Amino acid sequence: MDDFKILGSEEWCRFEELGIPAIKARVDSGAKTSSMQANKIKIFSKGLEDWVRFEVNPLQDNRSISILCQAKLVDVRSVKSSQGISEERPVIKTPVNIGGNVFEIEVTLANRDTMEYRMLLGREALNARYLVDPSQSFCQGDISDEEMSHKYRPYQSDKTGLSIGLLASNPELYSNKRIIEAGEMRGHKVVFLNVENVYMKLDASSPEIRYRGGNILDKFDAVIPRIKPSVTFYGCALLRQFDTLGVYCLNSADSISKSRDKLFASQLFSKHDIHIPITGFAKSPMDTKDLIRMVNGAPLIIKLLESTQGKGVVLAETNKAAESVINAFKSVQTNILVQEFIKEANGQDIRCFVVNGKVVASMQRQAQKGEFRANIHQGGAASLIKITSEERKLAIKSAKVLNLDVAGVDIIRSNRGPLLLEVNSSPGLEGIENTTGMDIANVMIETIERKLKYAQ
């Protein structure tokens, strides 16, 4: 026992062969194999051997530092994640240096962006070498912030890229933080702009946009709108002003307005031969019974015209309940859509993330037991799914009809083929990035670069 070194619950690991100066690992004797955060994983041939190329962002909450690595491929294993999703993960062997003690370990490459640590040190690396004292940390030596900054200085690039504004309301949201990280990682300056702190000067000769305090916003190459429904009117007015000043907007005011008006969007979809569940709209309570018959009766869905994340969506299970809900909404002068309920979908729908006319990621969402809404914000569970070519075409066409460069397209599978549920102009990144492992924020920044003909 005296030959064993002590490890704490977290330790610094160095991978000289991979070119990683230091990465903080959680020591986990419950896991068999060690695991490292990796993205853009690509298996390729080198002579007669299989190798794997991948990028590592070794610092948590800092994607501006990315290290390109490659190593010989040892294996590809099916591993079940903490979310219960099985995925194929490449396995490599590489020397690790822990406090000056160097030895070879197996490491699986996985997307750990949502985890607190970029690396997990499993029991195969610990066996016959270490004892673990979970009450301690960095028993094999700590690294100060100053040392870390020095180690990673060579990997930091001077920002000479685009100037991008992120027009949103909450800088702490996962999606907003990821977009800022992705932009900075590609060498751009990304500034968070709170919608409600931006104001404008309307003048034919010198129109302006200003920020709280009087700062004139005239240096942006592009703006990424992430406008919440409650500020749609004002947010779209700001986007029109940015457009007047020659700033490229990733989703225009017009396209966002169309997507937020569910009735108008549904009319556009019908006009362009995009199949949706049978939908009805009426103003007078006198037409309620015929409205219910028109969408094939109960059970049916009742939607507020301005709803999001599954809020303002009701399932009426009987005709009597449907009449009560519809008339209650109408009595308070609220506009609603009535839509047929697709029973055979069994509480499942598909979210396709469309960027610049391509489906870049897809996931299936399953509603909780007793719930009909599959939205992640309503407790729905996400899983990987392979969409059909018909579903892919439907998603792309739906985003195109609304002229959206970025869209979350929700599709449901029915007995008569895929049907479009709705199109979201500010789709969240957290659920789909975590489920698919795709770096969608990076794809969004790349789209801006292409639109502006910016060369790295």
Side-chain angles (χ1 to χ4, degrees):
M1 297 289 281
D2 293 340
D3 296 329
F4 287 75
K5 294 179 184 291
I6 303 294
L7 290 185
S9 60
E10 50 186 355
E11 295 289 346
W12 289 104
C13 296
R14 297 163 177 82
F15 294 91
E16 283 86 2
E17 205 169 271
L18 296 177
I20 300 173
I23 186 168
K24 191 192 292 183
R26 180 166 74 89
V27 179
D28 186 359
S29 58
K32 183 182 177 184
T33 312
S34 300
S35 177
M36 183 186 293
Q37 183 273 342
N39 53 52
K40 297 186 180 176
I41 298 169
K42 181 82 173 173
I43 296 172
F44 65 101
S45 296
K46 198 173 181 179
L48 298 175
E49 296 176 330
D50 283 335
W51 280 58
V52 60
R53 185 183 293 113
F54 54 98
E55 282 186 6
V56 176
N57 304 118
L59 304 180
Q60 187 69 25
D61 293 328
N62 185 354
R63 294 204 181 202
S64 64
I65 292 175
S66 179
I67 298 174
L68 182 63
C69 308
Q70 61 178 31
K72 185 179 172 183
L73 184 69
V74 172
D75 196 7
V76 176
R77 293 179 194 152
S78 180
V79 179
K80 187 172 279 191
S81 72
S82 57
Q83 296 173 323
I85 300 170
S86 291
E87 58 179 351
E88 299 287 298
R89 293 183 184 173
V91 182
I92 63 169
K93 267 189 181 177
T94 186
V96 61
N97 181 337
I98 303 176
N101 190 23
V102 181
F103 53 95
E104 199 173 59
I105 62 170
E106 279 193 353
V107 179
T108 63
L109 304 176
N111 187 305
R112 295 183 55 81
D113 287 340
T114 57
M115 306 299 178
E116 189 179 352
Y117 295 88
R118 295 299 188 159
M119 182 173 174
L120 183 147
L121 202 61
R123 64 176 177 272
E124 281 186 343
L126 310 176
N127 284 347
R129 293 188 182 99
Y130 297 101
L131 294 175
V132 180
D133 182 351
S135 67
Q136 297 191 58
S137 292
F138 309 117
C139 295
Q140 297 301 310
D142 200 355
I143 301 175
S144 68
D145 290 344
E146 189 177 330
E147 284 177 274
M148 284 296 284
S149 180
H150 178 72
K151 284 177 183 292
Y152 281 103
R153 184 66 192 94
Y155 298 91
Q156 293 175 333
S157 58
D158 294 324
K159 293 179 176 65
T160 56
L162 299 170
S163 182
I164 301 171
L166 176 60
L167 191 65
S169 297
N170 183 358
E172 297 305 312
L173 281 184
Y174 174 95
S175 300
N176 296 336
K177 287 166 79 172
R178 281 287 299 108
I179 289 167
I180 291 170
E181 285 176 3
E184 290 178 345
M185 181 179 168
R186 297 186 67 83
H188 307 305
K189 182 183 179 184
V190 187
V191 179
F192 183 86
L193 301 172
N194 189 314
V195 176
E196 294 173 41
N197 293 345
V198 184
Y199 54 102
M200 51 194 154
K201 172 190 172 188
L202 307 176
D203 178 72
S205 58
S206 58
E208 288 178 353
I209 293 186
R210 298 194 177 208
Y211 202 64
R212 180 167 287 173
N215 295 316
I216 298 175
L217 304 178
D218 60 352
K219 296 287 191 287
F220 289 112
D221 299 296
V223 166
I224 301 172
R226 302 282 307 173
I227 300 168
K228 63 183 181 181
S230 61
V231 292
T232 298
F233 177 81
Y234 188 64
C236 286
L238 290 173
L239 289 176
R240 284 191 290 271
Q241 189 77 348
F242 274 116
D243 182 61
T244 298
L245 296 173
V247 179
Y248 167 68
C249 300
L250 187 68
N251 280 353
S252 67
D254 183 55
S255 62
I256 292 170
S257 297
K258 285 176 184 173
S259 72
R260 292 278 165 88
D261 184 337
K262 285 186 168 53
L263 177 60
F264 185 28
S266 297
Q267 289 173 319
L268 284 172
F269 298 144
S270 296
K271 180 181 177 181
H272 289 87
D273 197 31
I274 292 173
H275 296 277
I276 61 174
I278 298 168
T279 302
F281 177 77
K283 190 69 179 168
S284 167
M286 302 292 289
D287 303 312
T288 299
K289 280 187 166 63
D290 194 41
L291 194 65
I292 292 169
R293 281 195 296 271
M294 196 167 67
V295 298
N296 296 331
L300 55 80
I301 303 291
I302 300 160
K303 288 183 178 180
L304 293 179
L305 280 192
E306 291 187 359
S307 61
T308 183
Q309 296 175 353
K311 297 170 187 171
V313 182
V314 178
L315 172 65
E317 297 193 8
T318 65
N319 285 353
K320 194 175 178 71
E323 280 186 54
S324 299
V325 174
I326 292 168
N327 291 332
F329 274 132
K330 286 181 180 175
S331 68
V332 291
Q333 303 297 304
T334 302
N335 288 318
I336 57 165
L337 289 178
V338 178
Q339 203 167 67
E340 71 170 319
F341 178 61
I342 309 298
K343 305 180 188 68
E344 62 267 25
N346 295 318
Q348 293 177 341
D349 71 13
I350 298 166
R351 161 60 63 91
C352 297
F353 209 105
V354 180
V355 182
N356 199 24
K358 291 181 181 176
V359 176
V360 297
S362 303
M363 65 176 175
Q364 180 171 274
R365 303 181 299 188
Q366 174 68 59
Q368 281 186 322
K369 192 173 181 181
E371 172 62 73
F372 69 96
R373 295 166 296 182
N375 307 67
I376 303 299
H377 287 86
Q378 300 298 334
S383 60
L384 287 167
I385 188 172
K386 186 170 184 180
I387 60 171
T388 65
S389 61
E390 192 180 0
E391 288 161 350
R392 185 177 300 277
K393 286 174 187 171
L394 175 60
I396 292 168
K397 187 176 180 181
S398 304
K400 189 176 181 181
V401 162
L402 296 176
N403 200 27
L404 288 167
D405 287 331
V406 174
V409 180
D410 296 339
I411 293 170
I412 197 165
R413 288 175 171 171
S414 78
N415 291 337
R416 57 183 189 270
L419 302 174
L420 175 67
L421 286 181
E422 65 178 296
V423 180
N424 190 323
S425 59
S426 294
L429 302 185
E430 187 168 12
I432 199 155
E433 282 199 343
N434 292 347
T435 303
T436 64
M438 284 290 296
D439 190 349
I440 295 172
N442 185 69
V443 177
M444 292 169 67
I445 301 298
E446 286 178 332
T447 296
I448 292 174
E449 292 172 356
R450 277 196 290 273
K451 295 282 186 180
L452 297 179
K453 296 181 171 55
Y454 171 84
Q456 283 277 47

